[in-house]
Amino acid sequence: MASDRSESQENYIETIHILSKKKPVVRSVDIANELGFKKPSISIAMKSLREQELITVTEEGYIYLTEKGLAIAMSVYEKHQVLTETLISLGVPEKIAEEDACRIEHIISEETFLAIKEHRKNKRS
């Protein structure tokens, strides 16, 4: 994880990315509903993400990831998917695998993640 981003920020970015796949537009209320947070918390987080140029917010309140934000979101999302699938393949129940992957995805080194991906790829071949 880059030192200028927190786990919380990565979760917000990943959530925006996931919601944008399901909905035509993403608003703060959608993020609040998805994460179970109150709207004021979301507003503070969105301000921080805007200041870091990871999102843009239109006058209508529609939230879009910038190119930089999307790159981060896709990286975190890929880690989440790969780690979840790996844990499930090891026999971890799906719900626990999802929860653990969500925590691990923010702290795992790039080297370890790439090794896991490579191992999974070789195992399928």
Side-chain angles (χ1 to χ4, degrees):
M1 179 175 67
S3 59
D4 60 338
R5 282 192 318 270
S6 67
E7 178 177 336
S8 172
Q9 289 173 321
E10 287 185 352
N11 278 333
Y12 282 117
I13 294 167
E14 182 183 23
T15 299
I16 294 166
H17 177 60
I18 292 167
L19 287 172
S20 70
K21 291 175 155 198
K22 299 178 191 174
K23 298 175 159 282
V25 293
V26 178
R27 299 165 301 144
S28 289
V29 68
D30 301 319
I31 299 166
N33 291 338
E34 183 74 15
L35 296 174
F37 296 159
K38 300 213 180 301
K39 203 156 180 307
S41 301
I42 302 298
S43 296
I44 292 166
M46 294 306 105
K47 181 178 188 279
S48 173
L49 294 177
R50 256 194 336 270
E51 288 170 353
Q52 293 179 55
E53 299 179 354
L54 299 175
I55 63 167
T56 58
V57 182
T58 67
E59 287 181 18
E60 299 86 3
Y62 302 153
I63 300 167
Y64 297 97
L65 291 170
T66 62
E67 199 170 306
K68 182 176 160 186
L70 181 59
I72 294 165
M74 290 174 64
S75 171
V76 174
Y77 185 69
E78 178 190 28
K79 286 177 183 172
H80 184 92
Q81 295 296 110
V82 169
L83 292 167
T84 299
E85 291 167 9
T86 301
L87 293 171
I88 290 170
S89 75
L90 294 171
V92 177
E94 187 174 346
K95 184 175 180 354
I96 294 170
E98 280 276 340
E99 292 167 358
D100 286 348
C102 193
R103 287 191 294 274
I104 296 167
E105 71 196 23
H106 303 288
I107 59 171
I108 192 170
S109 70
E110 198 60 31
E111 293 81 6
T112 300
F113 177 67
L114 292 174
I116 291 170
K117 264 178 63 172
E118 188 64 27
H119 176 75
R120 285 183 54 81
K121 187 172 86 176
N122 290 338
K123 201 170 177 190
R124 284 188 230 139
S125 302

